[in-house]
Amino acid sequence: MKHFLQKVVYVIPLTLILLGTTSVHAQSPQMPQQYQQPIPGIKQVKLSDPQKAELAKLHKQMIKDKTKIIEKYVSYGILSKAQGQMIIAHMERRYEKLEQNGFLPTGPHHGQMHHSWNEQAR
């Protein structure tokens, strides 16, 4: 039973982070061309300002809710304070990239693990 609980303590936060985040990359000259391609099956449209505002509001609320969850994990001792700060900063950076791209999803995920907070913050 103790072994099972130890697994749960590590699996739940990682699952929430992996399932609850959306990877979006802004198109920039620094990115390889292969990552600037549209996602197959997703229409590339120009969103109106009201549509962008609605998406911005929803994304900001999602970040606010996820921040509360991360803060709870920190307060329960599951994540260190540094880990929590890194995760929150990462969510905010991804929001900025999404905003720069007009709230449109772009390019395939490049396969790198973005969870360097797990190694750096310990």
Side-chain angles (χ1 to χ4, degrees), residues 73-91:
Y73 282 125
V74 170
S75 71
Y76 296 157
I78 296 169
L79 296 173
S80 71
K81 187 173 182 175
Q83 287 172 317
Q85 290 171 342
M86 284 185 187
I87 294 168
I88 292 167
H90 181 73
M91 288 189 302

Side-chain angles (χ1 to χ4, degrees), residues 51-120:
Q51 289 171 325
K52 289 178 188 178
E54 183 177 5
L55 287 170
K57 181 180 174 184
L58 292 170
H59 279 284
K60 286 177 184 177
Q61 184 61 48
M62 181 177 64
I63 290 170
K64 186 177 177 181
D65 292 342
K66 286 182 180 182
T67 297
K68 287 179 186 177
I69 292 169
I70 298 302
E71 289 170 350
K72 283 294 179 187
Y73 282 125
V74 170
S75 71
Y76 296 157
I78 296 169
L79 296 173
S80 71
K81 187 173 182 175
Q83 287 172 317
Q85 290 171 342
M86 284 185 187
I87 294 168
I88 292 167
H90 181 73
M91 288 189 302
E92 291 169 350
R93 284 191 309 270
R94 289 208 333 249
Y95 173 81
E96 290 169 6
K97 288 182 180 182
L98 183 61
E99 187 176 40
Q100 290 170 0
N101 195 49
F103 294 97
L104 294 174
T106 61
H109 192 293
H110 50 80
Q112 286 184 335
M113 293 300 288
H114 289 287
H115 303 290
S116 57
W117 55 266
N118 199 22
E119 299 300 321
Q120 293 175 0

